[in-house]
Amino acid sequence: MSITNGKGEINTMLKKLMEKKKREQARRNRINSAKGLAAGAALGAVAGILFAPKSGKDTREVIVNSAKDLNENVKVKASGAKETVTSKTKEAKSKITDYLNKKKQGTLEIAEENIEEVKEIEEALEENEESIEEINNEEK
């Protein structure tokens, strides 16, 4: 490797490293912008509720009702997620059981075939032994 070639490789590596750092920084900027936007939206909603032209009692009722609705929505979503996980787990167990049963059945079939082949070989050996005995008896 020449010195010139080595410098070129170093420059290429440095450029790639700088590009990677720029992409990471841009990603962090997007994340921070999204966080700021979410925080601003939440503060705006709270401020809107607090400064709405309703009485404090009405505002508190709105907040309580919103919290109850949110709680109910979370329960419904959690229940749905639980049902989905349970269903997918049962489905996966069923598929695994079916797969293992098929493999077991296939193994049993192979074993039965092997037993049959062994029996055929044993019979052939017995016939050969008998033939050998007959030949030996004829020679005597």
Side-chain angles (χ1 to χ4, degrees):
M1 172 191 331
S2 69
I3 293 175
T4 308
N5 190 19
K7 286 181 181 179
E9 289 177 16
I10 291 172
N11 286 337
T12 303
M13 289 176 19
L14 286 174
K15 285 180 184 178
K16 287 182 180 179
L17 182 62
M18 289 173 54
E19 289 172 4
K20 181 179 177 184
K21 292 288 184 184
K22 285 180 184 178
R23 285 192 305 269
E24 289 174 1
Q25 183 63 39
R27 181 177 170 273
R28 282 192 296 271
N29 289 343
R30 287 192 301 271
I31 290 171
N32 288 336
S33 296
K35 287 179 184 177
L37 180 63
L43 288 174
V46 169
I49 290 172
L50 294 176
F51 292 111
K54 293 183 179 182
S55 68
K57 182 179 178 183
D58 291 340
T59 301
R60 285 189 297 277
E61 284 180 25
V62 168
I63 292 171
V64 168
N65 289 337
S66 296
K68 286 179 181 177
D69 290 344
L70 177 63
N71 186 32
E72 186 61 31
N73 286 338
V74 168
K75 285 181 184 178
V76 168
K77 296 278 185 186
S79 176
K82 179 182 175 186
E83 289 174 10
T84 300
V85 168
T86 301
S87 171
K88 295 292 183 184
T89 301
K90 286 180 182 178
E91 183 180 331
K93 284 181 181 179
S94 175
K95 286 181 178 179
I96 290 170
T97 301
D98 289 347
Y99 173 79
L100 292 175
N101 286 337
K102 286 178 183 175
K103 285 294 184 183
K104 182 179 177 182
Q105 184 62 34
T107 302
L108 289 175
E109 289 172 3
I110 291 171
E112 289 172 357
E113 289 173 7
N114 287 340
I115 289 171
E116 288 299 317
E117 288 178 11
V118 168
K119 286 180 181 178
E120 290 173 7
I121 292 170
E122 286 176 344
E123 289 172 3
L125 286 174
E126 287 176 8
E127 289 175 9
N128 286 340
E129 286 177 0
E130 290 173 2
S131 296
I132 291 172
E133 282 181 30
E134 287 176 10
I135 291 171
N136 285 338
N137 288 338
E138 288 175 5
E139 289 179 358
K140 288 183 183 182

